[in-house]
Amino acid sequence: MCGILGYIGNREAYPILIKGLHRLEYRGYDSAGIALINRENSKLNIYKTKGRVSDLEEFTKGKDISGTVGIAHTRWATHGEPNHINAHPHYSQSENLALIHNGIIENYAVLKESLIRKGYVFQSETDTEVLVQLIEYIKTDNNTDISTAIQLALKQVIGAYAIAVVEKENPDLIIAARKSSPLVVGIGQDEFFLASDASPIIEYTNQVIYLNDEEIALIHRNEQLRIINLSNVEKTPQITLLEMSLNELEKGGYPHFMLKEIFEQPRTLRDCMSGRLNTGNGRVVLSGIIDHREKFINARRIIILACGTSWHAGLIGEYLFEEFCRIPVEVEYSSEFRYRRPVIYPDDVVIAVSQSGETADTLAAIELAKQAGAFVYGICNVVGSSIARNTDSGSYTHVGPEIGVASTKAFTAQVAVLTMMALNIAREKKTISEQQYLALLSELSGIPGKIETILQQNRYIEDLSKIFTYAHNFIYLGRGYSYPVAVEGALKLKEISYIHAEGYPAAEMKHGPIALIDNEMPVVVIAINSTTYDKMTSNIQEIKARKGRILAIVNKSDCKVREMADYTIEIPDTEECLSPLLSIVPLQLLSYHIAVKKGRDVDMPRNLAKSVTVE
Ligand code: M6R
């Protein structure tokens, strides 16, 4: 949610910042801006515009973009509509300071009022402008240096921030700080980079430092990086080596990241399971679980915390843990969990699922669980992310950067990790027979190959998608393990095509939603072989009787549903508990093609951002 970026070194900052903004654009894309200090004429120039980074490039044509120090921002609006005035960077009143921000200053109204009383005039409706004005006020009023002013200002701030500040008369310094929003500093040869994540940095250096909450980085040109905290205590920078590769950040010949990421799933699932799932010796090795075996074996209950697609993966986790481990599970929206008074026992195991590892609500929910003494396990994709660092233990999904806003490969890997966890714990608890355990292990290892066969139907699904572009509404139905798939399929469609879609447990239809069915309503049914197959066929009959148009996801071996459905997409047979890993893939492709046909920007759908770092 908003991408922030900075550069200081011997090169021109503009091209590095623009390229980096393109990499961070998935985090927010309603406006963009850049601030550069030109040492020759001692000017601090800010250029910003509504729209995408490409609009900013257009806007800066012919303008003075020179400077070897600069900061840049791509925005997802929280306070104030997306326009050029609310875009970052923001000047302070004297125009001596420029600041970019990712997060929310919750007490901005009180601070703003007090600054207005002191004669400060505001240009924008943002919370961010309050912060830069506050820093300037403190600097002038206390006659102090910029870093002290930032420390004092941040002590007054309630909320979340990752910020970077430059000062006109100080062209050899960028100051950055964070609390609850991510910030990473890259260390190059005589140059430094800072960014919301490592993707804009990897091209220049693999040495990075992830800032911790309430830390401030003093990034001086040609000097050692210094990190202090709000109380001015010096911290030793911990360098991490990045393992990301540049190829992972490119589209690799695909028209969109989303399509690339859907097609990557056979490989990403193999990567996710590699070294963990061993069919040879019948073992599942997840070090995060082995190290905390007793916690899982003795868990009174498992609470899964997540948002969006990760929450849907969590629902599948619930079915898996209850079926195989016989541990009661609750799946909670992080945002609801954190604001009620949930009962949390010290012997609960909390599993936080998050692709980005930065989702603000999930981070806050984790804190609550930790305070109550629960053991917290993280399933994250982004290495070094806040959730990965704030949990007691965990497993990475290892799918590489997911750039399309619609989560695809991260979802299947989250489900794969949850499956491996369930199998591991079930075996330890002896709640699964050795025969079933080994059969599931073997079947799980074959899932990537089966996804490959589904992907071969891409052209067919693309053709099918043409039939449905007319629709204004969709219903997705599933039962058992296919219910979370229905909800996830509906989310995929609505977020990228803007077609209204709802996922329901199929049997719930007759309690209300069936009133919506007519001959214009496409109903996607996940009708694979399962313990509830016959019940599902009855539900399909009920829809047919009301003339709904049925698109069914069926197994290759299916005969019955095929007869009833208007259209079908086949998936290979598998164990019921593993079926979500297959049945979601055609739904991802269907949503993608419908959205493309409707001319939507599938990688950057309106109003959304990849990493939701505000609550
Ligand atoms: O990074 P997280 O997994 O914590 O993100 C959670 C949701 O914001 C995310 O899954 C969102 O729902 C996706 N856009 C869905 O495709």
Side-chain angles (χ1 to χ4, degrees):
M1 213 132 264
C2 296
I4 75 168
L5 199 67
Y7 174 79
I8 186 163
N10 301 323
R11 298 192 244 186
E12 281 300 303
Y14 179 85
I16 293 171
L17 293 174
I18 288 291
K19 197 169 193 186
L21 279 186
H22 279 295
R23 293 253 157 82
L24 288 183
E25 205 167 15
Y26 72 90
R27 300 178 66 89
Y29 33 81
D30 58 47
S31 52
I34 194 163
L36 297 155
I37 303 181
N38 181 336
R39 299 173 76 145
E40 307 300 314
N41 56 17
S42 301
K43 279 205 162 161
L44 170 55
N45 293 311
I46 290 185
Y47 306 112
K48 48 192 193 175
T49 182
K50 184 179 171 181
R52 302 275 165 103
V53 178
S54 51
D55 297 307
L56 178 65
E57 283 180 274
E58 202 52 43
F59 181 70
T60 50
K61 273 192 184 142
K63 303 213 163 67
D64 174 10
I65 49 161
S66 52
T68 53
V69 55
I71 53 177
H73 189 269
T74 174
R75 180 168 186 247
W76 185 87
T78 57
H79 295 62
E81 65 171 281
N83 60 26
H84 73 281
I85 295 171
N86 291 328
H88 302 207
H90 289 281
Y91 275 128
S92 59
Q93 182 132 305
S94 67
E95 300 197 353
N96 278 332
L97 303 179
L99 180 144
I100 49 175
H101 170 219
N102 166 30
I104 288 184
I105 310 298
E106 285 170 14
N107 58 339
Y108 84 102
V110 183
L111 296 170
K112 188 171 181 174
E113 231 170 78
S114 121
L115 286 162
I116 289 172
R117 279 200 299 273
K118 292 181 174 85
Y120 278 78
V121 177
F122 286 81
Q123 311 298 326
S124 76
E125 304 156 273
T126 64
D127 51 338
T128 303
E129 193 184 3
V130 175
L131 187 51
V132 70
Q133 302 280 41
L134 180 65
I135 294 169
E136 177 157 292
Y137 166 70
I138 292 173
K139 183 172 182 284
T140 321
D141 198 50
N142 295 8
N143 192 21
T144 179
D145 63 22
I146 180 73
S147 67
T148 311
I150 290 175
Q151 275 173 326
L152 294 172
L154 293 178
K155 280 186 178 169
Q156 293 189 33
V157 155
I158 300 172
Y161 55 80
I163 57 164
V165 185
V166 288
E167 187 179 27
K168 182 154 72 177
E169 46 209 48
N170 220 337
D172 295 326
L173 175 66
I174 301 181
I175 300 184
R178 73 153 267 180
K179 185 183 173 199
S180 305
S181 293
L183 194 55
V184 50
V185 180
I187 304 167
Q189 188 71 40
D190 302 324
E191 58 187 357
F192 294 98
F193 308 82
L194 68 91
S196 297
D197 69 37
S199 61
I201 296 178
I202 186 68
E203 192 160 347
Y204 310 101
T205 177
N206 66 348
Q207 294 193 33
V208 297
I209 291 161
Y210 291 98
L211 284 200
N212 292 312
D213 273 353
E214 302 199 339
E215 284 184 348
I216 300 177
L218 305 172
I219 313 172
H220 286 271
R221 193 191 299 276
N222 300 328
E223 279 182 32
Q224 291 272 325
L225 173 76
R226 279 184 59 212
I227 295 178
I228 54 173
N229 68 11
L230 294 192
S231 315
N232 212 26
V233 176
E234 197 86 25
K235 300 277 178 164
T236 313
Q238 303 292 333
I239 295 183
T240 304
L241 290 184
L242 291 175
E243 283 176 9
M244 190 186 289
S245 90
L246 211 50
N247 286 347
E248 291 176 313
L249 303 171
E250 310 291 346
K251 286 192 196 139
Y254 287 90
H256 297 99
F257 280 111
M258 183 181 176
L259 190 62
K260 177 188 175 215
E261 287 157 5
I262 293 172
F263 270 82
E264 278 178 332
Q265 289 177 108
R267 181 185 58 74
T268 53
L269 280 179
R270 284 188 183 108
D271 289 349
C272 173
M273 295 191 289
S274 155
R276 291 169 163 176
L277 189 134
N278 190 331
T279 43
N281 62 14
R283 290 196 67 200
V284 175
V285 182
L286 286 166
S287 54
I289 295 208
I290 294 168
D291 295 347
H292 301 277
R293 182 180 175 275
E294 299 306 315
K295 293 272 180 204
F296 286 95
I297 303 290
N298 300 321
R300 173 199 289 234
R301 180 177 60 157
I302 290 176
I303 302 173
I304 300 180
L305 300 174
C307 305
T309 287
S310 299
W311 188 83
H312 300 154
L315 282 182
I316 297 169
E318 175 182 22
Y319 288 48
L320 289 162
F321 287 120
E322 294 206 339
E323 176 172 1
F324 297 114
C325 310
R326 308 305 296 146
I327 303 173
V329 180
E330 280 167 33
V331 188
E332 300 265 6
Y333 286 116
S334 307
S335 53
E336 288 300 312
F337 183 82
R338 65 180 286 199
Y339 283 119
R340 54 188 179 82
R341 289 179 59 218
V343 178
I344 310 167
Y345 302 107
D347 50 356
D348 280 339
V349 166
V350 171
I351 302 176
V353 187
S354 173
Q355 185 286 131
S356 63
E358 301 294 349
T359 301
D361 282 322
T362 304
L363 265 167
I366 288 170
E367 275 319 305
L368 194 67
K370 279 166 82 173
Q371 278 161 23
F375 171 79
V376 184
Y377 196 87
I379 300 177
C380 296
N381 187 38
V382 177
V383 176
S385 56
S386 302
I387 294 177
R389 290 185 296 145
N390 285 345
T391 40
D392 297 305
S393 181
S395 300
Y396 284 116
T397 45
H398 291 310
V399 301
E402 188 182 64
I403 294 170
V405 163
S407 190
T408 52
K409 63 177 180 175
F411 172 76
T412 43
Q414 288 166 346
V415 175
V417 169
L418 288 162
T419 310
M420 288 189 283
M421 286 176 74
L423 290 176
N424 182 306
I425 298 163
R427 193 192 206 191
E428 291 287 330
K429 287 191 70 165
K430 303 196 183 349
T431 45
I432 188 170
S433 73
E434 193 64 7
Q435 192 190 6
Q436 189 180 21
Y437 170 83
L438 291 174
L440 286 175
L441 229 60
S442 156
E443 186 60 27
L444 182 58
S445 69
I447 288 290
K450 293 189 175 180
I451 294 180
E452 270 155 10
T453 67
I454 298 172
L455 293 172
Q456 284 164 13
Q457 297 178 75
N458 181 39
R459 197 49 74 71
Y460 166 67
I461 296 172
E462 184 180 356
D463 286 344
L464 211 54
S465 73
K466 291 179 196 150
I467 302 167
F468 293 105
T469 45
Y470 76 89
H472 295 293
N473 297 288
F474 258 78
I475 290 181
Y476 286 67
L477 300 175
R479 298 182 75 128
Y481 282 96
S482 295
Y483 159 58
V485 178
V487 193
E488 172 59 8
L491 176 63
K492 284 290 86 74
L493 184 71
K494 67 185 135 191
E495 70 179 327
I496 59 167
S497 71
Y498 317 150
I499 294 174
H500 172 240
E502 295 299 333
Y504 284 103
E508 274 295 300
M509 278 295 285
K510 51 189 163 301
H511 299 287
I514 202 160
L516 296 168
I517 306 290
D518 61 17
N519 60 359
E520 298 228 319
M521 176 68 90
V523 185
V524 178
V525 294
I526 300 130
I528 49 140
N529 299 337
S530 68
T531 41
T532 50
Y533 180 81
D534 288 335
K535 306 275 174 209
M536 190 71 204
T537 55
S538 308
N539 297 140
I540 295 172
Q541 292 292 10
E542 290 156 12
I543 301 159
K544 258 190 98 61
R546 285 149 187 96
K547 301 201 165 28
R549 299 179 76 188
I550 296 165
L551 166 58
I553 309 298
V554 294
N555 281 121
K556 227 179 163 69
S557 53
D558 180 273
C559 302
K560 211 165 157 188
V561 174
R562 224 182 269 276
E563 297 267 290
M564 297 186 268
D566 297 288
Y567 314 96
T568 52
I569 303 174
E570 275 180 8
I571 62 170
D573 293 353
T574 188
E575 294 289 338
E576 184 176 351
C577 66
L578 303 180
S579 63
L581 291 164
L582 301 183
S583 53
I584 191 58
V585 178
L587 302 187
Q588 295 168 343
L589 285 171
L590 183 72
S591 308
Y592 170 79
H593 288 300
I594 291 177
V596 171
K597 297 269 165 328
K598 290 183 78 72
R600 307 300 190 214
D601 186 343
V602 290
D603 282 339
M604 289 188 259
R606 71 183 180 203
N607 304 340
L608 287 171
K610 183 74 185 162
S611 179
V612 185
T613 53
V614 296
E615 57 172 289

